Amino acid sequence: MLLKGLFDKIASLGGLLVLWPVLLICAILIRLKMPGGPIIFKQQRVGQYGKLFTMYKFRSMTVVHDGSYISVAGESRITPLGAKLRKYKLDELPELWNVLIGNMSFVGPRPDVPGYADKLEGEDRDVLKLKPGITGPASLKYRNEEELLAVQDDPKRYNDEVIFPDKVRINLEYLNTWSFWRDIKIIIYTVLSKDLD
């Protein structure tokens, strides 16, 4: 895991240096198209060993809404610009800062909002040994999660009873079979939007 941590530091710094024009353009577009709110969306998420940290993303929703923490494609709270940012995962670019400062890794389980970690029991809690990631095997499988939830009669129930347990299973397998080269493969497959073998 030492190699993983070293890679995270170097790659996140390199990513921020190379992608700063994209970050700037996204920030300008959010300011112009979505005025009246912050450019960066900040939220408390559950990190490694269950410790809370602040995750940074580009804002993709209206400032005032009464939606849940489950995002569904086509929701009115997601702005037209926000939908494009989310489609191409540009809203997640600020998470490179989280990786640089050590709250997150490039590859790992997506960080949940507080409450979901409390549902983990037994060996399922081992997933908290991992730093949350920008991408991961579960993220690849459910990269169209918002579209999948949009066709469910009860998106929250489907997430809680089907998607969340499956993600825990996938993340436990990732923990138990981790290798640096598999991390690289996951990153490449994420960029190419391919399913993991």
Side-chain angles (χ1 to χ4, degrees):
M1 288 287 184
L2 180 62
L3 185 58
K4 179 181 178 74
L6 183 61
F7 172 82
D8 283 340
K9 293 289 186 183
I10 295 172
S12 59
L13 178 59
L16 288 168
L17 291 175
V18 170
L19 295 173
W20 73 263
V22 179
L23 291 160
L24 180 60
I25 290 170
C26 288
I28 292 171
L29 287 173
I30 292 170
R31 178 58 70 208
L32 293 176
K33 300 289 187 179
M34 299 162 55
I39 291 172
I40 298 293
F41 170 73
K42 296 184 287 186
Q43 189 178 50
Q44 289 288 290
R45 296 289 181 100
V46 178
Q48 191 175 30
Y49 306 122
K51 295 179 181 178
L52 295 181
F53 73 99
T54 301
M55 189 179 76
Y56 302 97
K57 299 178 72 170
F58 280 127
R59 181 168 65 90
S60 60
M61 297 185 179
T62 57
V63 177
V64 179
H65 61 76
D66 57 359
S68 74
Y69 50 84
I70 302 297
S71 299
V72 178
E75 287 184 86
S76 59
R77 61 181 176 155
I78 301 175
T79 69
L81 173 61
K84 288 184 173 61
L85 293 175
R86 294 167 81 96
K87 179 180 180 180
Y88 298 105
K89 308 299 183 184
L90 295 173
D91 62 317
E92 296 180 6
L93 287 180
E95 292 171 36
L96 288 170
W97 176 252
N98 284 116
V99 177
L100 182 62
I101 63 177
N103 292 326
M104 292 179 64
S105 175
F106 266 98
V107 182
R110 286 299 295 166
D112 286 313
V113 294
Y116 269 87
D118 298 332
K119 299 180 180 182
L120 297 171
E121 297 179 347
E123 73 166 6
D124 286 354
R125 293 193 64 81
D126 285 349
V127 298
L128 296 176
K129 295 177 180 179
L130 292 163
K131 282 187 181 181
I134 294 178
T135 187
S139 299
L140 281 176
K141 180 175 181 179
Y142 290 104
R143 62 177 178 272
N144 297 319
E145 181 178 333
E146 292 185 359
E147 288 77 11
L148 177 61
L149 290 172
V151 299
Q152 305 302 322
D153 292 332
D154 188 339
K156 183 182 183 302
R157 181 177 179 180
Y158 188 82
N159 178 76
D160 291 355
E161 296 182 358
V162 178
I163 295 180
F164 180 71
D166 193 37
K167 284 182 175 179
V168 172
R169 178 189 63 78
I170 294 169
N171 289 324
L172 277 175
E173 182 182 350
Y174 168 76
L175 171 65
N176 294 325
T177 60
W178 177 85
S179 76
F180 177 71
W181 297 113
R182 188 158 186 259
D183 271 10
I184 299 300
K185 182 178 181 180
I186 290 169
I187 292 169
I188 293 172
Y189 275 42
T190 299
V191 173
L192 298 177
S193 295
K194 289 181 61 177
D195 291 327
L196 196 62
D197 298 336

